[in-house]
Amino acid sequence: MNQTFTIKEKTKQIFVLLIPILITQLGMFSMVFFNTIMSGKYNSSDLAGVAIGSSIWSPIFLGISGILLAVSPIAAQRFGEKKSHEVSSVVKHGVFLSVIIAAVVIILGFFFLDPILDKMKLPIRVQETAFDYLVGLCYGLLPLFIFNVLRSFIYALGKTRVVMVILLLALPLNFFLNYVLIFGNWGFPELGGAGAGYATSITYWAILGMTIFIVKTKDPFCSYQVFSNMKEISWEKCKEILKIGVPMGLSTFFETSMFAVVTILLSKFNVTTIAAYQSALNIVSFLYMIPISISMAQTVLVGYEVGARRYKDAKQYSWLGIYLAILIAIFTGILLVLFRYQVAGLYSNEAAVINLTANFLIFALFFQICDAVQATAQAALRGYKDVNLSFIMTLFAYWMICLPVGYLLAHFTSLGARGYWIGLTVGLLAAGIALSIRLIYIQKRKFVDVEIKEVV
């Protein structure tokens, strides 16, 4: 990353970081896509088992990733402060925490996975597939978590293309492993849906191997020597990561679990409504990769400028990311509305499902805009390492506004399932407004005051 002086230069730098991050996110998304699609081609029960397993794993994975991705804003600030030796220390402690967290998740899974699946009262074949799929994924937890730390380190240095290339190289391997392990081709064992879990784990190990090789041997990463003196671990430095990471992780967890709860509540409606909601949500989740990618780039850039004490530049990056996310959300949302029937037709051949999905996608336009604001405003705050209050704001918006408003509109008005979309949109709008106000407050009070004092 370089210091920028004009809005044009800042916009260019955002896109330089953003595009590889977006391709990386789409690559991660496509791995889940491969798992689901190829399991469906094998057997409908295996498809259901993989879908259930993914729905259990997703909130946990995203929440934990949020904790480990705290390495990114911390390292970016140290990099901006020209404290290279502290950057490597942050990464070392992130790797240490990733090993501890992976062990804790595996232990908890050993004791609680069976009881959770039992309470869901699934068909036996579906439950067995879900269990075996999650067991297969467990073998990839350690490399996945360590990779997330190293990815944060690479992002903090602004070298986002490196991770993109690694993911693009890994995707063919993931597709091949799914093909041979799910269907038992080329002499490999036929594991059905469970094979998708093992295929993903092996892919994670390959991704980690490539990442470690690059970090240890290629400039500028090798100069930080993040794998040297791994025994020198300080609990104080681990606490710094957890202090920022835990609110980040919990915020992500509660957001994703909110959507899971809405899915459960919608199960009381008919099959057409459930299918239409899942189709619309899948489309929106895919498009959400854009604001989430902007937010990752934004956190790094704001953190870098804050570390360098260039608070005016940090402020400009904050709002540039928000405005960019809003413009893209409006553009993609309008396209989605204009071609809603064609898009809905990709998910179903049934007229009733297509029509209801298309109806949901009208609400998705406003949903996307509100989601873009809250995602990027929260990312800017993370760049300032201001995470505690933003976590409380989002928690309140998700669980005290989104769900109650959605439930009331869906069950006590004629809106039906559409009420949940309105509830989600209202809650995300409230989160976006609250986070934006907080961002304005810290920029006008906290960081400007510091800058003035230093000038004086």
Side-chain angles (χ1 to χ4, degrees):
M1 291 182 295
N2 301 307
Q3 183 179 0
T4 54
F5 301 94
T6 66
I7 294 298
K8 184 179 179 181
E9 289 177 350
K10 285 179 171 58
T11 304
K12 181 180 178 182
Q13 181 134 284
I14 285 179
F15 275 102
V16 167
L17 267 67
L18 162 65
I19 293 172
I21 291 175
L22 177 58
I23 295 171
T24 300
Q25 289 299 114
L26 292 174
M28 299 289 280
F29 185 88
S30 63
M31 287 176 66
V32 179
F33 179 77
F34 287 158
N35 289 347
T36 306
I37 294 297
M38 296 182 79
S39 296
K41 295 290 184 184
Y42 181 79
N43 184 288
S44 60
S45 295
D46 285 69
L47 170 62
V50 170
I52 293 293
S54 296
S55 68
I56 293 171
W57 169 237
S58 243
I60 297 169
F61 161 63
L62 291 171
I64 292 170
S65 294
I67 296 173
L68 298 174
L69 289 175
V71 168
S72 192
I74 298 171
Q77 284 199 14
R78 297 289 192 277
F79 184 53
E81 293 166 347
K82 310 296 184 186
K83 296 178 179 177
S84 299
H85 63 288
E86 291 191 20
V87 172
S88 59
S89 178
V90 169
V91 179
K92 287 176 192 175
H93 286 83
V95 170
F96 174 75
L97 281 175
S98 68
V99 174
I100 299 299
I101 292 172
V104 170
V105 172
I106 291 170
I107 292 168
L108 290 175
F110 180 80
F111 288 104
F112 294 107
L113 181 55
D114 259 333
I116 289 170
L117 290 171
D118 286 339
K119 289 193 180 217
M120 297 178 78
K121 303 201 181 296
L122 302 165
I124 293 175
R125 176 69 183 275
V126 173
Q127 181 172 334
E128 287 176 349
T129 300
F131 179 85
D132 292 339
Y133 171 73
L134 288 169
V135 168
L137 278 179
C138 277
Y139 289 99
L141 291 187
L142 181 61
L144 175 60
F145 292 167
I146 295 175
F147 165 70
N148 271 325
V149 173
L150 297 179
R151 175 171 66 143
S152 296
F153 164 58
I154 293 169
Y155 282 177
L157 300 185
K159 308 295 183 181
T160 55
R161 289 185 185 179
V162 173
V163 182
M164 176 191 75
V165 171
I166 291 170
L167 257 294
L168 290 178
L169 289 173
L171 283 179
L173 174 64
N174 181 247
F175 183 84
F176 169 76
L177 290 171
N178 269 302
Y179 176 71
V180 297
L181 292 176
I182 292 174
F183 300 99
N185 294 316
W186 294 16
F188 284 82
E190 184 178 342
L191 302 176
Y198 289 97
T200 302
S201 286
I202 296 170
T203 306
Y204 286 152
W205 280 104
I207 288 171
L208 177 63
M210 288 187 281
T211 307
I212 290 175
F213 174 78
I214 288 171
V215 169
K216 289 188 74 172
T217 61
K218 303 296 179 183
D219 287 325
F221 315 112
C222 61
S223 63
Y224 289 88
Q225 298 184 338
V226 298
F227 293 108
S228 63
N229 299 320
M230 290 299 290
K231 294 179 180 179
E232 296 177 4
I233 298 299
S234 162
W235 178 239
E236 287 301 314
K237 292 185 178 179
C238 288
K239 280 169 67 177
E240 182 186 9
I241 296 173
L242 293 174
K243 186 178 178 181
I244 296 171
V246 169
M248 287 173 57
L250 288 176
S251 181
T252 305
F253 173 78
F254 284 120
E255 182 180 2
T256 51
S257 60
M258 173 191 67
F259 285 100
V261 170
V262 171
T263 302
I264 293 169
L265 292 171
L266 274 167
S267 64
K268 299 183 184 296
F269 291 84
N270 58 44
V271 174
T272 300
T273 301
I274 297 169
Y277 171 79
Q278 288 293 344
S279 299
L281 185 61
N282 189 264
I283 296 163
V284 169
S285 298
F286 179 77
L287 291 174
Y288 181 62
M289 295 297 106
I290 299 172
I292 202 67
S293 299
I294 293 172
S295 71
M296 286 182 170
Q298 192 183 9
T299 296
V300 170
L301 290 167
V302 172
Y304 174 69
E305 297 296 348
V306 169
R309 298 181 181 274
R310 294 190 290 264
Y311 302 122
K312 181 182 176 182
D313 294 293
K315 181 179 179 180
Q316 288 177 335
Y317 273 124
S318 299
W319 294 103
L320 207 55
I322 292 171
Y323 297 148
L324 180 62
I326 292 171
L327 285 173
I328 294 175
I330 291 171
F331 177 72
T332 56
I334 290 172
L335 286 179
L336 202 58
V337 171
L338 290 175
F339 298 100
R340 60 189 182 279
Y341 288 100
Q342 291 86 340
V343 173
L346 297 173
Y347 286 81
S348 178
N349 296 321
E350 298 177 25
V353 174
I354 291 172
N355 288 331
L356 189 52
T357 302
N359 191 278
F360 284 160
L361 290 177
I362 295 174
F363 293 94
L365 165 62
F366 304 101
F367 173 90
Q368 276 192 155
I369 296 169
C370 296
D371 209 9
V373 175
Q374 72 91 25
T376 48
Q378 191 171 22
L381 288 167
R382 288 172 178 173
Y384 287 102
K385 298 204 293 189
D386 188 89
V387 293
N388 292 321
L389 190 57
S390 59
F391 160 63
I392 294 168
M393 288 174 173
T394 52
L395 179 61
F396 184 85
Y398 299 152
W399 289 86
M400 302 304 292
I401 297 177
C402 283
L403 285 177
V405 171
Y407 184 86
L408 290 172
L409 291 175
H411 296 275
F412 297 96
T413 71
S414 59
L415 288 168
R418 290 183 290 272
Y420 280 111
W421 281 107
I422 296 173
L424 290 168
T425 303
V426 170
L428 290 172
L429 176 61
I433 292 171
L435 292 167
S436 298
I437 291 171
R438 175 63 180 172
L439 183 59
I440 292 169
Y441 174 81
I442 67 166
Q443 287 173 341
K444 282 190 173 180
R445 297 291 183 89
K446 184 177 177 182
F447 288 90
V448 171
D449 286 344
V450 173
E451 193 171 39
I452 290 171
K453 285 175 185 175
E454 287 174 356
V455 171
V456 173

